[in-house]
Structure formats: C-alpha cells, structure tokens
Amino acid sequence: GAVVSQHPSRVICKSGTSVKIECRSLDFQATTMFWYRQFPKKSLMLMATSNEGSKATYEQGVEKDKFLINHASLTLSTLTVTSAHPEDSSFYICSARSSGNKYNEQFFGPGTRLTVL
Amino acid sequence: GQNIDQPTEMTATEGAIVQINCTYQTSGFNGLFWYQQHAGEAPTFLSYNVLDGLEEKGRFSSFLSRSKGYSYLLLKELQMKDSASYLCAVRSWALADSWGKFQFGAGTQVVVTP
C-alpha cells in the first residue's frame, strides 16, 4: 500500500514552454501533498504544501505564479512549471500523506526529471 | 529556521556496521524520520523517532536525543544493496499542515564495498 506515482518521469522542453507534472496517490486518499525540488547531491527542498480543495502554501522564495499547484481531488495534485527556463531544470518529487497511517509519514513519488533547453 | 547536518559520505565493507549521525536545530519538533534514496528514485521510509531512545527494525535501528538535537541511523550486516543515500528529515509544526512539514538533510551517501 501507500503508492504514489508521478508522470512524466522525464521531460525535456524548450525554454519558454510550460510543463505539467502529475502526482497521484494510487491506493489511499491524500489529504495533503507536498512538492519538492532536488538538485544533484543536495537535499530535497520543500516548494509548497497542498491541501485538497484549497490553495497551496508556498515556501519562502518559491514563486507561486511560476510554479502553479492544483490539488483538485484527494488522489491528484499537479505542478505546472510556467515559462520554463534552463535554471528550472531539476528533479521534482511529490509526496503524499494521509490521515491515519501510523506515523503520518510522507510517501514519495518516483520523481520527474525536468530538463529545459 | 532549521539546520540539519549529516556527513556527506561513508564507506564500509559488506557485513559491517555503519552509523550515520544527524544533528538538527528546530522549533516545534514533531518527529525525526530516516529515508533511503537510491539514485534517481523516490526516498523510501526507514524509521521514525519522536521520543528519546532507540527504535529497532530488523537490520536498521534509529536513535533520538531531543535535548541534544541528535539522531543516528545504524545499519547492521551491510549488504551491497544498502549502497544508497540516507536522508535525515525533521518534521516541525507548521500552519500549512496539521502534522507539520519536513526539512531534509543533504543526505549521506553510503558506499558498501565487497
């Protein structure tokens, strides 16, 4: 149980285009989802916290108009990188948490490798 | 703010024991987690401590001292498949989420040699 999927796993796009990444909880309802960004050999940096049906809460320094987050259902959250630029190239990981699991830990998706040319 | 420090890399031989230390500074502490992450893959949950003491789970054990802001992950009987990055994550109370949000250390790359 507690499987989280992400799609796509890899995406290459041209500078100026927008890219949407989907995060799905496959076998549980995720009341809260999180989006992280990870640079090579660096820690996961929390970008935003998303509660189903409400606006995402962004961490300091993360542009909400640049990284659009939608959490319309208990099993799906999307991250849209708008007008992507090469500096947005990174590994993006989502995680999901449900109420009721033993430690209320987060379950992570497999990540999406974004390369902006 | 929070600072989470852990060593960058550790090397050990198959069958040996390795201890990965993690120190942290935080306000509103609500648990410390250890995750394992293989390159290019999602982190997977290993252990959780919220009270002081040792939690044992098979070959993996984790220890916490809240007063010292210190935790360690102990890996026993190392196997080649244990070669991975081990992430220390501290959960702290946050307005955005009733259970708090995570801050991760940079990870410790464990290399297991034959």
Side-chain angles (χ1 to χ4, degrees):
Chain A
V3 177
V4 177
S5 70
Q6 269 184 253
H7 178 79
S9 57
R10 290 179 179 271
V11 58
I12 300 172
C13 69
K14 292 183 180 179
S15 186
T17 60
S18 294
V19 175
K20 180 186 282 189
I21 303 169
E22 292 187 349
C23 176
R24 294 182 185 271
S25 57
L26 298 185
D27 52 1
F28 67 100
Q29 293 186 325
T31 51
T32 306
M33 286 184 167
F34 304 85
W35 286 95
Y36 294 85
R37 184 172 177 177
Q38 187 176 33
F39 292 102
K41 298 187 178 181
K42 298 291 185 182
S43 66
L44 281 78
M45 300 297 298
L46 180 64
M47 298 174 66
T49 302
S50 171
N51 291 296
E52 185 264 340
S54 61
K55 289 183 179 180
T57 302
Y58 289 80
E59 294 300 300
Q60 193 171 12
V62 178
E63 299 175 59
K64 62 180 180 181
D65 295 329
K66 171 77 173 174
F67 299 99
L68 300 178
I69 292 171
N70 183 279
H71 190 169
S73 79
L74 285 172
T75 59
L76 173 65
S77 176
T78 60
L79 168 68
T80 302
V81 183
T82 61
S83 187
H85 290 284
E87 58 265 29
D88 299 324
S89 298
S90 190
F91 193 51
Y92 292 88
I93 301 180
C94 73
S95 69
R97 186 185 62 76
S98 69
S99 57
N101 52 296
K102 187 176 181 181
Y103 304 120
N104 285 290
E105 71 269 35
Q106 296 179 23
F107 299 98
F108 287 85
T112 297
R113 173 75 58 193
L114 171 63
T115 303
V116 185
L117 302 176
Chain B
Q2 296 165 354
N3 292 314
I4 302 173
D5 293 314
Q6 51 182 128
T8 305
E9 185 171 314
M10 302 181 76
T11 301
T13 53
E14 208 172 0
I17 298 173
V18 70
Q19 177 175 315
I20 307 170
N21 297 323
C22 172
T23 58
Y24 64 90
Q25 295 176 313
T26 188
S27 55
F29 177 82
N30 185 27
L32 188 142
F33 295 76
W34 284 95
Y35 283 83
Q36 180 192 61
Q37 186 180 27
H38 286 97
E41 297 181 10
T44 54
F45 170 75
L46 289 179
S47 70
Y48 168 73
N49 296 72
V50 69
L51 300 176
D52 291 350
L54 186 68
E55 294 285 339
E56 296 187 85
K57 202 175 179 182
R59 293 190 299 115
F60 296 167
S61 303
S62 57
F63 172 83
L64 175 67
S65 169
R66 289 171 296 170
S67 62
K68 295 181 179 178
Y70 168 70
S71 173
Y72 68 72
L73 178 70
L74 196 68
L75 286 65
K76 305 174 194 172
E77 301 169 18
L78 278 174
Q79 301 175 8
M80 297 300 291
K81 67 178 181 179
D82 296 329
S83 292
S85 181
Y86 292 83
L87 308 176
C88 172
V90 174
R91 184 170 63 186
S92 302
W93 295 108
L95 290 175
D97 177 36
S98 59
W99 277 97
K101 61 182 183 182
F102 284 16
Q103 292 284 340
F104 283 86
T108 298
Q109 185 66 42
V110 170
V111 177
V112 181
T113 59

mmCIF file of all heavy atoms in Angstrom, chain A residues 1-19:
data_model
loop_
_atom_site.group_PDB
_atom_site.id
_atom_site.type_symbol
_atom_site.label_atom_id
_atom_site.label_comp_id
_atom_site.label_asym_id
_atom_site.label_seq_id
_atom_site.Cartn_x
_atom_site.Cartn_y
_atom_site.Cartn_z
ATOM 1 N N GLY A 1 0.804 -1.201 0.000
ATOM 2 C CA GLY A 1 0.000 0.000 0.000
ATOM 3 C C GLY A 1 0.836 1.250 0.000
ATOM 4 O O GLY A 1 2.051 1.189 -0.017
ATOM 5 N N ALA A 2 0.175 2.413 0.003
ATOM 6 C CA ALA A 2 0.806 3.727 0.050
ATOM 7 C C ALA A 2 1.734 3.966 -1.130
ATOM 8 O O ALA A 2 2.914 4.245 -0.960
ATOM 9 C CB ALA A 2 1.563 3.918 1.363
ATOM 10 N N VAL A 3 1.196 3.817 -2.321
ATOM 11 C CA VAL A 3 1.976 4.025 -3.540
ATOM 12 C C VAL A 3 1.622 5.376 -4.138
ATOM 13 O O VAL A 3 0.453 5.738 -4.260
ATOM 14 C CB VAL A 3 1.697 2.909 -4.565
ATOM 15 C CG1 VAL A 3 2.471 3.177 -5.857
ATOM 16 C CG2 VAL A 3 2.067 1.551 -3.992
ATOM 17 N N VAL A 4 2.670 6.108 -4.506
ATOM 18 C CA VAL A 4 2.499 7.408 -5.139
ATOM 19 C C VAL A 4 3.167 7.361 -6.506
ATOM 20 O O VAL A 4 4.317 6.925 -6.618
ATOM 21 C CB VAL A 4 3.110 8.528 -4.285
ATOM 22 C CG1 VAL A 4 3.000 9.871 -4.989
ATOM 23 C CG2 VAL A 4 2.430 8.584 -2.922
ATOM 24 N N SER A 5 2.460 7.785 -7.524
ATOM 25 C CA SER A 5 3.037 7.787 -8.866
ATOM 26 C C SER A 5 3.214 9.216 -9.353
ATOM 27 O O SER A 5 2.524 10.135 -8.898
ATOM 28 C CB SER A 5 2.152 7.012 -9.842
ATOM 29 O OG SER A 5 0.946 7.729 -10.098
ATOM 30 N N GLN A 6 4.132 9.401 -10.264
ATOM 31 C CA GLN A 6 4.349 10.692 -10.897
ATOM 32 C C GLN A 6 4.443 10.482 -12.398
ATOM 33 O O GLN A 6 4.990 9.489 -12.875
ATOM 34 C CB GLN A 6 5.664 11.332 -10.418
ATOM 35 C CG GLN A 6 5.532 12.231 -9.217
ATOM 36 C CD GLN A 6 6.798 12.916 -8.818
ATOM 37 O OE1 GLN A 6 7.409 12.563 -7.822
ATOM 38 N NE2 GLN A 6 7.217 13.919 -9.601
ATOM 39 N N HIS A 7 3.939 11.468 -13.126
ATOM 40 C CA HIS A 7 4.010 11.402 -14.577
ATOM 41 C C HIS A 7 4.208 12.794 -15.148
ATOM 42 O O HIS A 7 3.524 13.733 -14.711
ATOM 43 C CB HIS A 7 2.717 10.793 -15.146
ATOM 44 C CG HIS A 7 2.698 10.747 -16.631
ATOM 45 N ND1 HIS A 7 3.361 9.782 -17.365
ATOM 46 C CD2 HIS A 7 2.131 11.577 -17.536
ATOM 47 C CE1 HIS A 7 3.181 10.018 -18.639
ATOM 48 N NE2 HIS A 7 2.451 11.083 -18.781
ATOM 49 N N PRO A 8 5.125 13.006 -16.069
ATOM 50 C CA PRO A 8 6.023 12.001 -16.634
ATOM 51 C C PRO A 8 7.236 11.763 -15.724
ATOM 52 O O PRO A 8 7.457 12.508 -14.781
ATOM 53 C CB PRO A 8 6.456 12.657 -17.945
ATOM 54 C CG PRO A 8 6.434 14.128 -17.635
ATOM 55 C CD PRO A 8 5.281 14.333 -16.681
ATOM 56 N N SER A 9 8.007 10.746 -16.029
ATOM 57 C CA SER A 9 9.220 10.502 -15.248
ATOM 58 C C SER A 9 10.370 11.388 -15.751
ATOM 59 O O SER A 9 11.247 11.769 -14.974
ATOM 60 C CB SER A 9 9.619 9.029 -15.331
ATOM 61 O OG SER A 9 9.798 8.639 -16.681
ATOM 62 N N ARG A 10 10.338 11.667 -17.048
ATOM 63 C CA ARG A 10 11.345 12.563 -17.627
ATOM 64 C C ARG A 10 10.668 13.458 -18.640
ATOM 65 O O ARG A 10 9.791 13.019 -19.360
ATOM 66 C CB ARG A 10 12.435 11.763 -18.358
ATOM 67 C CG ARG A 10 13.357 10.976 -17.477
ATOM 68 C CD ARG A 10 14.378 10.203 -18.305
ATOM 69 N NE ARG A 10 15.291 9.453 -17.461
ATOM 70 C CZ ARG A 10 16.420 9.940 -16.995
ATOM 71 N NH1 ARG A 10 16.795 11.163 -17.310
ATOM 72 N NH2 ARG A 10 17.203 9.210 -16.229
ATOM 73 N N VAL A 11 11.105 14.690 -18.702
ATOM 74 C CA VAL A 11 10.579 15.597 -19.718
ATOM 75 C C VAL A 11 11.681 16.576 -20.114
ATOM 76 O O VAL A 11 12.398 17.091 -19.269
ATOM 77 C CB VAL A 11 9.304 16.319 -19.234
ATOM 78 C CG1 VAL A 11 9.557 17.110 -17.955
ATOM 79 C CG2 VAL A 11 8.736 17.213 -20.303
ATOM 80 N N ILE A 12 11.765 16.766 -21.423
ATOM 81 C CA ILE A 12 12.693 17.746 -21.978
ATOM 82 C C ILE A 12 11.864 18.755 -22.746
ATOM 83 O O ILE A 12 11.016 18.367 -23.562
ATOM 84 C CB ILE A 12 13.722 17.085 -22.917
ATOM 85 C CG1 ILE A 12 14.536 16.038 -22.148
ATOM 86 C CG2 ILE A 12 14.654 18.138 -23.521
ATOM 87 C CD1 ILE A 12 15.449 15.202 -23.034
ATOM 88 N N CYS A 13 12.063 20.024 -22.482
ATOM 89 C CA CYS A 13 11.247 21.028 -23.155
ATOM 90 C C CYS A 13 12.110 22.222 -23.543
ATOM 91 O O CYS A 13 13.234 22.389 -23.058
ATOM 92 C CB CYS A 13 10.089 21.471 -22.265
ATOM 93 S SG CYS A 13 10.607 22.420 -20.824
ATOM 94 N N LYS A 14 11.564 23.033 -24.404
ATOM 95 C CA LYS A 14 12.254 24.249 -24.838
ATOM 96 C C LYS A 14 11.981 25.377 -23.855
ATOM 97 O O LYS A 14 10.921 25.423 -23.211
ATOM 98 C CB LYS A 14 11.786 24.658 -26.223
ATOM 99 C CG LYS A 14 12.192 23.703 -27.332
ATOM 100 C CD LYS A 14 11.739 24.230 -28.681
ATOM 101 C CE LYS A 14 12.153 23.279 -29.804
ATOM 102 N NZ LYS A 14 11.681 23.773 -31.117
ATOM 103 N N SER A 15 12.913 26.278 -23.758
ATOM 104 C CA SER A 15 12.762 27.431 -22.889
ATOM 105 C C SER A 15 11.514 28.225 -23.293
ATOM 106 O O SER A 15 11.251 28.431 -24.478
ATOM 107 C CB SER A 15 14.004 28.311 -23.014
ATOM 108 O OG SER A 15 13.962 29.366 -22.103
ATOM 109 N N GLY A 16 10.731 28.626 -22.317
ATOM 110 C CA GLY A 16 9.526 29.403 -22.560
ATOM 111 C C GLY A 16 8.250 28.592 -22.569
ATOM 112 O O GLY A 16 7.149 29.156 -22.515
ATOM 113 N N THR A 17 8.361 27.287 -22.639
ATOM 114 C CA THR A 17 7.160 26.451 -22.632
ATOM 115 C C THR A 17 6.770 26.112 -21.199
ATOM 116 O O THR A 17 7.549 26.319 -20.260
ATOM 117 C CB THR A 17 7.365 25.156 -23.422
ATOM 118 O OG1 THR A 17 8.449 24.424 -22.826
ATOM 119 C CG2 THR A 17 7.707 25.454 -24.870
ATOM 120 N N SER A 18 5.557 25.591 -21.045
ATOM 121 C CA SER A 18 5.059 25.189 -19.731
ATOM 122 C C SER A 18 5.008 23.671 -19.652
ATOM 123 O O SER A 18 4.730 22.998 -20.641
ATOM 124 C CB SER A 18 3.679 25.782 -19.476
ATOM 125 O OG SER A 18 3.764 27.188 -19.382
ATOM 126 N N VAL A 19 5.271 23.167 -18.487
ATOM 127 C CA VAL A 19 5.299 21.719 -18.279
ATOM 128 C C VAL A 19 4.429 21.371 -17.079
ATOM 129 O O VAL A 19 4.543 21.999 -16.024
ATOM 130 C CB VAL A 19 6.742 21.236 -18.003
ATOM 131 C CG1 VAL A 19 6.765 19.758 -17.663
ATOM 132 C CG2 VAL A 19 7.632 21.522 -19.210
#
